[in-house]
């Protein structure tokens, strides 16, 4: 019996290692004990000069993990004929790459060739949340950096037009549940969206309605004034949670009022199960924080790299 259990566990663990290295909290304790502090300082310095940095780092980590696992493929630059992820379609919203480069420089000065870019990004995303007033957590480490980044693969990211079944599929392909989907969508408490990401909800929505009828009318009207039909202002858009720059559960409160920007946000209200989670997170900051942390650790444990990159922008 015991032998069967052992065999079974071995099978489970060997299939998990398909996702890459086993991660651990104390991974750099001997090889680079001050890495986390150096990364936190780089993130802090950047935020002091630019309030948009936390949202940028959180989204960058999410994109990284959703394409080839969290392997820093999002940081690679285009080389020769290969167009990298960062130059692919949703590139308009990715920014603040310099923060990771600064953190990497600081860490390389301490312990050259030891700390992966994928770990630096996972830690920087955690710091971004914590420094914005959100929860903090211990990040399991030991990710390796990948050697491939293709712009065409950004097509596999979930789109803001997705309905609940499309979102469920996108998340379950990465081993993430409906609860992870709802909790992680709370990341939209930070940051900014360009008009193009919600334009189809506020103009010519469908044959019956010009504006998505699930949107609060005054909210839709304010978005229409920022984002007219023939919008020429490339950088126009809206803050996703305009009430605060703090990482909190306001996103879920706004969602219940019809004040979310994307169809993908709104679609969280279209199944009983996900709607119940939205209500729970809207009424309890603590329930949201707990769930968000668990889901971040789960998402950020997807891995698939091969090396510790020396420069986060190029493979070794
Ligand atoms: C559920 C599927 C998701 C969809 C469809 C989605 C879609 C989007 C879109 C369209 C934008 C705006 C891009 C722009 O116009 O500039 C955005 C921004 C953002 N997303 Fe998501 N997202 C999803 C999940 C997540 C997750 C899991 C996180 C992190 C936990 C996240 C964090 C962010 C942040 C922080 C921003 C703001 C970025 C900035 O201000 O620079 N999103 N998202
Ligand atoms: C972003 O991607 C588009 C293709 O969707 C491309 O035309 C554009 O040059 C890219 N922009 C940057 C800054 O890489
Ligand atoms: C979601 O969209 C897909 C593709 O358009 C469609 O096949 C599916 O029926 C939709 N699901 C729901 C629940 O609306
Ligand atoms: C337009 O959208 C609304 C709300 O989603 C829906 O009830 C209605 O059936 C749609 N109408 C058409 C013609 O697609």
């Amino acid at each position: 019996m015991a032998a069967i259990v052992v065999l079974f566990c071995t099978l489970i663990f060997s299939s998990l290692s398909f996702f890459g290295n086993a991660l651990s909290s104390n991974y750099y304790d001997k090889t680079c004990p001050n890495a986390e502090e150096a990364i936190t300082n780089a993130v802090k310095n950047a935020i002091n000069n630019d309030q948009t940095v936390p949202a940028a780092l959180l989204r960058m980590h999410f994109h990284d993990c959703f394409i080839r696992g969290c392997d820093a493929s999002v940081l690679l630059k285009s080389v020769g004929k290969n167009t990298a992820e960062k130059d692919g379609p949703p590139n308009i919203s990715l920014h603040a790459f310099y923060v990771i480069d600064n953190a990497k420089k600081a860490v390389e000065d301490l312990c050259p060739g030891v700390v992966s870019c994928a770990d630096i990004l996972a830690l920087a995303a955690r710091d971004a949340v914590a420094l914005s007033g959100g929860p903090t957590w211990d990040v399991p480490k030991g990710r390796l950096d990948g050697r491939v980044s293709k712009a065409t693969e950004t097509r596999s990211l979930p789109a803001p037009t997705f309905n609940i079944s499309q979102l469920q599929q996108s998340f379950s392909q990465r081993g993430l549940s409906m609860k992870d989907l709802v909790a992680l969508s709370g990341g939209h408490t930070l940051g900014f969206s360009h008009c193009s990401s919600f334009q189809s909800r506020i103009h010519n929505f469908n044959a019956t309605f010009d504006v998505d009828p699930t949107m609060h009318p005054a909210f839709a009207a304010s978005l229409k004034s920022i984002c007219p039909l023939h919008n020429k202002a490339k950088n126009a858009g809206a803050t996703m949670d305009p009430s605060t720059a703090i990482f909190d559960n306001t996103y879920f409160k706004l969602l219940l009022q019809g004040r979310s920007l994307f169809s993908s946000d709104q679609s969280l209200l279209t199944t009983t199960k996900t709607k119940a989670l939205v209500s729970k997170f809207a009424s309890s900051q603590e329930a949201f924080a707990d769930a968000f942390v668990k889901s971040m650790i789960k998402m950020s444990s997807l891995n698939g790299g091969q090396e510790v990159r020396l420069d986060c922008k190029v493979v070794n």
Side-chain angles (χ1 to χ4, degrees), residues 190-241:
L190 294 181
F192 175 87
S193 169
H194 295 81
C195 296
S196 55
S197 302
F198 53 85
Q199 197 78 346
S200 61
R201 293 185 81 196
I202 57 171
H203 301 285
N204 306 321
F205 176 66
N206 69 15
T208 324
F209 297 100
D210 179 44
V211 167
D212 183 343
T214 60
M215 278 180 129
H216 187 289
F219 178 67
S222 74
L223 293 179
K224 278 176 92 109
S225 72
I226 303 168
C227 308
L229 184 53
H230 300 291
N231 184 17
K232 294 220 173 63
K234 204 170 147 258
N235 294 320
T239 303
M240 292 196 277
D241 164 8

Side-chain angles (χ1 to χ4, degrees), residues 63 67-68 71-79 81-90 147-157:
H63 280 208
I67 302 174
R68 296 179 172 267
D71 68 342
S73 55
V74 72
L75 304 177
L76 288 171
K77 64 177 182 190
S78 300
V79 176
K81 280 186 184 154
N82 184 59
T83 308
E85 280 170 40
K86 64 158 69 154
D87 295 326
R147 297 176 52 82
V148 176
S149 177
K150 291 183 191 298
T152 50
E153 292 181 354
T154 59
R155 278 193 224 126
S156 73
L157 290 167

Side-chain angles (χ1 to χ4, degrees), residues 79-254:
V79 176
K81 280 186 184 154
N82 184 59
T83 308
E85 280 170 40
K86 64 158 69 154
D87 295 326
N91 55 18
I92 192 169
S93 57
L94 292 178
H95 59 110
F97 289 100
Y98 72 91
V99 183
I100 302 302
D101 292 330
N102 288 349
K104 177 68 170 173
K105 263 185 220 111
V107 167
E108 286 299 296
D109 285 348
L110 292 173
C111 15
V114 170
V115 183
S116 68
C117 297
D119 277 345
I120 291 175
L121 182 49
L123 288 161
R126 186 273 315 270
D127 290 341
V129 169
L131 293 167
S132 303
T136 191
W137 62 94
D138 217 22
V139 176
K141 293 160 290 278
R143 292 166 196 76
L144 291 174
D145 300 324
R147 297 176 52 82
V148 176
S149 177
K150 291 183 191 298
T152 50
E153 292 181 354
T154 59
R155 278 193 224 126
S156 73
L157 290 167
T161 50
F162 272 15
N163 64 31
I164 195 71
S165 32
Q166 293 169 306
L167 289 171
Q168 175 171 31
Q169 191 186 9
S170 170
F171 275 62
S172 72
Q173 278 167 356
R174 279 122 179 142
L176 300 171
S177 67
M178 293 296 257
K179 187 169 185 184
D180 296 321
L181 165 64
V182 179
L184 291 171
S185 293
H188 288 166
T189 181
L190 294 181
F192 175 87
S193 169
H194 295 81
C195 296
S196 55
S197 302
F198 53 85
Q199 197 78 346
S200 61
R201 293 185 81 196
I202 57 171
H203 301 285
N204 306 321
F205 176 66
N206 69 15
T208 324
F209 297 100
D210 179 44
V211 167
D212 183 343
T214 60
M215 278 180 129
H216 187 289
F219 178 67
S222 74
L223 293 179
K224 278 176 92 109
S225 72
I226 303 168
C227 308
L229 184 53
H230 300 291
N231 184 17
K232 294 220 173 63
K234 204 170 147 258
N235 294 320
T239 303
M240 292 196 277
D241 164 8
S243 60
T244 61
I246 293 173
F247 188 99
D248 60 14
N249 64 342
T250 310
Y251 163 82
F252 297 100
K253 296 181 188 171
L254 294 171

